[in-house]
Amino acid sequence: MWLEVSVQRIKALLVSIVLLVFVFSCGRATASEVRVNVGDWVLAASAGGTFSVDAGPLGRLLENGRFWVRQENGLRQANGWIIRPVKEGLVIRTSEPKMEWKLSVSGDVLQIASTDYRSIVTADAPSKIDRILGRLLDKQGAHVVWSGTGEVAGGYGGSYTRNPSFLPRTNPDVMYVRLGRLEGAGFHSLFDRSTDTAVDFPEDSTLHRDEANNDILKVTMPVAGNATIRVERDYYTRVLGVPYYARYDDQRFPTSPIVWSSWTSYYEAVREQDITVNADWLGLHLKPYGFQYVELDDGYDRGSKGEHYWVENWDETKFPHGAAWLTKYIHDRGMKAGVWLVPNSYAGALKDHPDRYLYDKKGAVVQDYSTPALDQTNPATFDWLKHEFSVLDGWGFDYYKFDGEHALPKYAPTVDISRLHDPNADFLKNYRDRVKLIRETIGPDRFIESCPAGTPLNSIGFVDSYFNGDDLYNNWQGSYPLFSSITSNLFLNHLLVYVMPGEGIELGEPMTVEEASRKRPPIVIETEKSRENPMTGFGVTDAEARTLVSYVAMTGVVYPLASVMPELPDSRVQLLKATMPTLPIMPVDLFSRGNDNNWDTFRHEQPDYYIHNYPEILDLKVNSISGRYDLVGLTNWRSTPATRTLDLVSKLHLDPKLRYVAFDFWNQALAGVFEKEMKLEVGPHDTRVLAIHPLRGRPQLVGNSRHISGAFSVLANNWDEDGLVLSGKSQTVGDDLYTAWIYCPKGFTVQKMEGNSSGKAVKIEQNAQRELIGISFRGGGEAVSWTVQFERGNR
């Protein structure tokens, strides 16, 4: 009997131990909180009626989570929690109302289930500056391909770099970007920049930024029986196909640069005087607006066979004063100097050191840009590169454009690997070590643009921008590679690298082929001839010029110029001034829209019949001192006029209960007041740009003449309800006339206006267009503070 009792007691004790082991293996259970670890996830719930979720490298994903049930009279909170840990998560029973809820983790999916289809979960999602709202890849959407160019495929018989992508099922005609922190309406996904991790909430979830704490997003998630939150680790590398991930550090380059390149207007026929003439014009006309870099492209150092020596063979006929003189010339005008080169190649050591070069399987030296290609596995090549870039840096170059930039032994199948200095080298590591050496030689303050020649983007983490597209040429059809580059690569911009969309947009007025033959080097004409058939002339229309500058300015990519700048008419110069400087705009759409990257598309096609995935709506969501509003570009890609109807609710995710005022930037006019939609005409190849603000029921700032964004130059913007005073502060440029546009609803009239700068009165003139009031002044390049006193009364 004693033995029986003892055995029973031992069994009971063992059961207790097992239960304790289970509880402690799942998490720590206390009277107030139960925690469960599932892999590297942590779920916690407290008897007080809240839960939290930590998800692996993300850390805290949700906190202050609560359960609700929708009833006829509103939401009822589920109270009276009894929490039970289970192997895969937590089970929670509530007494008011009587329900069961379950939080369970499987892999990187959190599933929330309940016994009522009317259930709702609310929680706070931490969203500091590096955890951003976005639209993720929709694998159920239309399939497209993010492709590199055909350079390696055509030049060496290599392969195209192609990664699958998808257009979203919802609003595929819209591309979303942001300036400032995104509020959240319409977007249900997060991306964590520090860990390359994405979080996708159910589509019917709403995320709104907490007005009291902008580092918190308020999440509301319906749970119709079940709902899932998916975490995508290594989002850029595993899901999108980017070979490396590194968060771009923008401390030195907080916005993308503005660069004039000699390539598209001169090609290798460029001369010293071409650089100086354009530099003089740029310094005088655009530097005050944010212009920065003058870049000398190919044409300064070729040998008798077209080969390159980079630092050893500057053409004294074309560049009689040399490189150091040229960079000083540019620096003296307040700008920075750039240069083009191909680090993979160098002709100067072939005779004395043939062992330092690459050979193909037939025994010939491999050529890269008409120049013998170096064996990057040879330590002597690293020594040469350190010397080469020390010389270039000593000459004063600030900006480097690298072409043909990839690991040749890996991507060129013609290379005879057996003749390498180290045939067993890890070619990608070797390549990244080479780029790292260059970066260390020139230092972190120099800007590097890289063109990967159609290979993967393997120098992410060391370079500042990528040109991953085909060259532009000098007319509207020649601008299509720019749009392809922006729409296919924008998901990288400012997050991993800046996107260089092409070596210079053409903004000159239309010219016939005959006229261009008299004004441009022959190679400019021959290049266009190789790209399109029939030739359509040179230059762009006013509408096409507006579309070009609008797309660059509203996406935050590198601003590339290439026109013969002194030839630009004033109307085109004003377009440039109104879209400079570049701003810290980031993508919301975190996926590629795909591209085709065919060099000779328009030898076989015409724009009206060219199928592409360019958006018709570009929605820049602005959150700045100037206000919280949508800057919308509506583009007509066709050659005939179009009528566009813009649905403010479904396309822009605006509140259907509000009314909106739209300011037409390019026309500097009021487009009207709208509720759920607006209709407008868009000319051929034109882009209408509208700043769409929610109506405040009182006078409000809706735009300015200085910058397309409506945000740049606005240093203050305040409304005093008691005094009925709208006040602001605006940064002017030189003696340019600055106009701040104010929407003044009926029931308000202007009583007086005042302006001052540095304690001195500034004259302000008023220009009224119905409910739109323009206050104009000149500030001599200083910031002008202004006030407009209103009074209530009919106008």
Side-chain angles (χ1 to χ4, degrees):
M1 183 70 178
W2 177 85
L3 183 59
E4 251 180 54
V5 172
S6 297
V7 169
Q8 288 174 355
R9 287 178 177 176
I10 291 170
K11 286 182 178 179
L13 180 60
L14 288 173
V15 168
S16 300
I17 292 171
V18 168
L19 286 172
L20 284 171
V21 169
F22 173 74
V23 168
F24 279 98
S25 68
C26 289
R28 184 173 63 255
T30 68
S32 60
E33 182 182 67
V34 177
R35 295 169 62 88
V36 171
N37 294 75
V38 183
D40 58 359
W41 288 63
V42 180
L43 308 180
S46 67
T50 63
F51 71 87
S52 65
V53 178
D54 289 59
L58 284 174
R60 183 58 50 89
L61 175 60
L62 296 173
E63 58 193 15
N64 299 321
R66 290 177 170 83
F67 299 139
W68 306 79
V69 179
R70 189 180 301 279
Q71 299 182 340
E72 290 184 3
N73 58 348
L75 294 180
R76 179 185 179 186
Q77 188 170 353
N79 293 315
W81 289 27
I82 299 175
I83 308 159
R84 177 167 57 90
V86 293
K87 184 177 181 181
E88 67 275 14
L90 294 173
V91 174
I92 301 164
R93 285 189 177 178
T94 58
S95 59
E96 299 179 3
K98 291 183 178 180
M99 294 177 62
E100 184 160 290
W101 305 73
K102 186 175 182 180
L103 306 177
S104 58
V105 174
S106 176
D108 276 326
V109 176
L110 171 66
Q111 183 168 340
I112 303 177
S114 82
T115 53
D116 195 315
Y117 281 93
R118 299 166 300 169
S119 300
I120 289 175
V121 169
T122 64
D124 294 342
S127 176
K128 292 188 176 181
I129 199 71
D130 264 359
R131 191 169 295 181
I132 59 178
L133 281 157
R135 188 163 65 152
L136 303 181
L137 186 69
D138 179 1
K139 294 181 181 179
Q140 303 303 311
H143 178 263
V144 295
V145 176
W146 175 42
S147 174
T149 67
E151 185 172 328
V152 162
Y156 302 102
S159 301
Y160 277 86
T161 299
R162 292 190 171 108
N163 289 283
S165 192
F166 301 86
L167 295 177
R169 286 168 292 172
T170 303
N171 293 341
D173 54 337
V174 187
M175 187 164 71
Y176 298 100
V177 284
R178 66 179 176 89
L179 175 63
R181 302 185 79 170
L182 194 59
E183 194 278 335
F187 302 100
H188 56 83
S189 303
L190 297 174
F191 176 69
D192 189 79
R193 294 185 65 193
S194 61
T195 62
D196 187 21
T197 304
V199 181
D200 197 22
F201 292 90
E203 287 187 16
D204 53 358
S205 302
T206 60
L207 286 73
H208 288 283
R209 200 163 293 282
D210 188 346
E211 294 289 346
N213 181 0
N214 282 338
D215 289 340
I216 293 292
L217 286 167
K218 295 291 186 180
V219 180
T220 300
M221 186 171 62
V223 181
N226 292 271
T228 57
I229 300 173
R230 301 180 183 276
V231 171
E232 295 273 12
R233 305 186 194 221
D234 304 318
Y235 177 73
Y236 269 81
T237 54
R238 185 177 57 83
V239 177
L240 301 182
V242 181
Y244 297 91
Y245 179 83
R247 179 194 183 282
Y248 184 70
D249 184 353
D250 62 3
Q251 292 184 58
R252 290 178 173 81
F253 304 104
T255 63
S256 59
I258 307 175
V259 186
W260 179 87
S261 170
S262 62
W263 182 242
T264 309
S265 288
Y266 300 97
Y267 295 104
E268 60 261 36
V270 66
R271 304 161 299 170
E272 182 179 276
Q273 65 200 67
D274 299 320
I275 302 298
T276 58
V277 165
N278 282 281
D280 288 342
W281 189 95
L282 290 161
L284 180 63
H285 293 89
L286 293 184
K287 178 182 171 293
Y289 298 84
F291 179 82
Q292 300 160 292
Y293 294 94
V294 178
E295 184 245 315
L296 169 62
D297 212 286
D298 192 1
Y300 58 85
D301 74 318
R302 287 179 178 257
S304 59
K305 297 180 181 179
E307 74 277 17
H308 292 284
Y309 297 83
W310 312 124
V311 296
E312 295 178 352
N313 191 42
W314 275 65
D315 190 327
E316 294 181 358
T317 302
K318 295 170 65 180
F319 291 86
H321 293 93
W325 179 90
L326 187 63
T327 60
K328 184 177 185 301
Y329 190 95
I330 295 168
H331 291 160
D332 286 348
R333 282 145 186 80
M335 297 173 292
K336 296 183 178 182
V339 67
W340 169 91
L341 73 157
V342 182
N344 263 336
S345 65
Y346 163 62
L350 182 60
K351 181 179 178 180
D352 295 334
H353 301 284
D355 58 312
R356 297 180 184 177
Y357 287 84
L358 297 180
Y359 294 86
D360 65 23
K361 293 169 184 176
K362 295 181 180 179
V365 177
V366 174
Q367 300 288 311
D368 196 8
Y369 282 76
S370 304
T371 305
L374 293 162
D375 177 0
Q376 305 287 342
T377 72
N378 192 322
T381 296
F382 276 48
D383 293 339
W384 158 252
L385 288 169
K386 188 169 184 178
H387 165 75
E388 178 180 46
F389 281 91
S390 295
V391 171
L392 290 167
D393 203 60
W395 283 346
F397 286 106
D398 311 282
Y399 183 106
Y400 296 91
K401 175 193 170 183
F402 295 169
D403 235 330
E405 183 60 2
H406 61 103
L408 262 168
K410 181 173 180 61
Y411 296 108
T414 55
V415 172
D416 185 348
I417 302 298
S418 68
R419 295 189 63 174
L420 294 177
H421 176 81
D422 183 1
N424 299 314
D426 180 334
F427 298 137
L428 283 183
K429 181 180 184 304
N430 173 250
Y431 168 73
R432 285 178 61 82
D433 286 345
R434 189 261 278 170
V435 182
K436 181 181 179 183
L437 171 75
I438 294 172
R439 171 56 80 190
E440 290 173 345
T441 302
I442 62 177
D445 297 322
R446 304 293 188 248
F447 195 96
I448 298 178
E449 171 198 339
S450 181
C451 176
T455 68
L457 313 184
N458 289 318
S459 55
I460 282 176
F462 300 112
V463 302
D464 299 289
S465 73
Y466 259 112
F467 173 33
N468 188 35
D470 282 319
D471 283 0
L472 312 184
Y473 59 96
N474 304 73
N475 61 22
W476 175 246
Q477 293 182 170
S479 303
Y480 272 62
L482 175 130
F483 300 121
S484 292
S485 184
I486 291 175
T487 58
S488 65
N489 296 299
L490 190 62
F491 69 100
L492 302 166
N493 194 62
H494 206 140
L495 299 179
L496 280 74
V497 291
Y498 288 116
V499 170
M500 163 56 85
E503 299 306 332
I505 55 178
E506 174 61 70
L507 292 179
E509 293 182 308
M511 283 193 295
T512 64
V513 175
E514 291 73 23
E515 185 180 358
S517 298
R518 297 191 299 270
K519 292 185 174 181
R520 297 289 183 267
I523 190 172
V524 174
I525 314 303
E526 290 302 315
T527 298
E528 180 175 313
K529 187 177 181 180
S530 73
R531 301 289 295 274
E532 64 180 36
N533 184 28
M535 294 179 68
T536 58
F538 293 78
V540 293
T541 66
D542 288 341
E544 291 163 352
R546 280 192 294 270
T547 294
L548 284 164
V549 299
S550 297
Y551 251 76
V552 170
M554 291 177 63
T555 55
V557 298
V558 177
Y559 204 135
L561 300 178
S563 301
V564 178
M565 301 306 292
E567 293 183 1
L568 291 183
D570 184 65
S571 61
R572 304 296 171 86
V573 178
Q574 294 306 316
L575 293 181
L576 291 171
K577 290 179 177 179
T579 51
M580 293 182 181
T582 56
L583 300 180
I585 295 169
M586 294 190 185
V588 174
D589 287 355
L590 304 183
F591 54 86
S592 175
R593 297 182 67 88
N595 58 312
D596 57 15
N597 276 350
N598 288 324
W599 180 265
D600 59 349
T601 292
F602 294 111
R603 289 190 64 80
H604 317 287
E605 194 60 90
Q606 296 177 16
D608 278 338
Y609 305 112
Y610 174 51
I611 298 175
H612 53 70
N613 299 315
Y614 307 160
E616 289 189 343
I617 302 169
L618 176 57
D619 183 12
L620 171 59
K621 294 190 173 291
V622 180
N623 185 357
S624 72
I625 294 171
S626 57
R628 184 182 292 170
Y629 53 94
D630 288 62
L631 187 73
V632 180
L634 295 172
T635 301
N636 176 12
W637 298 106
R638 308 303 166 204
S639 60
T640 54
T643 300
R644 294 278 188 258
T645 298
L646 177 62
D647 189 316
L648 305 181
V649 179
S650 66
K651 298 300 183 182
L652 308 185
H653 306 303
L654 300 185
D655 190 334
K657 298 187 294 294
L658 300 181
R659 300 173 71 221
Y660 297 88
V661 55
F663 173 71
D664 185 334
F665 176 75
W666 288 125
N667 289 312
Q668 293 285 286
L670 184 68
V673 174
F674 306 90
E675 292 187 20
K676 296 180 181 179
E677 67 177 28
M678 59 187 300
K679 183 178 292 186
L680 67 163
E681 302 295 320
V682 187
H685 300 164
D686 204 353
T687 296
R688 299 283 299 273
V689 175
L690 304 170
I692 302 175
H693 295 252
L695 279 177
R696 302 296 184 191
R698 44 84 171 172
Q700 62 187 98
L701 185 68
V702 293
N704 62 68
S705 61
R706 168 63 185 91
H707 198 274
I708 189 172
S709 66
F712 181 79
S713 78
V714 179
L715 306 179
N717 174 30
N718 300 292
W719 171 252
D720 177 2
E721 179 63 31
D722 293 332
L724 300 182
V725 174
L726 183 66
S727 61
K729 190 174 185 180
S730 303
Q731 179 64 51
T732 64
V733 179
D735 201 37
D736 285 2
L737 185 68
Y738 185 106
T739 301
W741 293 103
I742 300 167
Y743 178 74
C744 182
K746 292 180 180 179
F748 291 86
T749 57
V750 175
Q751 187 178 33
K752 67 176 180 177
M753 301 176 296
E754 293 181 342
N756 73 83
S757 177
S758 301
K760 297 180 180 180
V762 173
K763 180 182 178 181
I764 294 183
E765 297 179 351
Q766 179 179 338
N767 174 22
Q769 304 175 12
R770 298 182 300 168
E771 290 85 13
L772 188 66
I773 297 173
I775 59 169
S776 302
F777 44 85
R778 301 180 193 275
E782 300 294 325
V784 173
S785 297
W786 50 265
T787 60
V788 182
Q789 173 77 59
F790 292 88
E791 61 181 359
R792 296 189 186 276
N794 295 324
R795 280 183 288 159

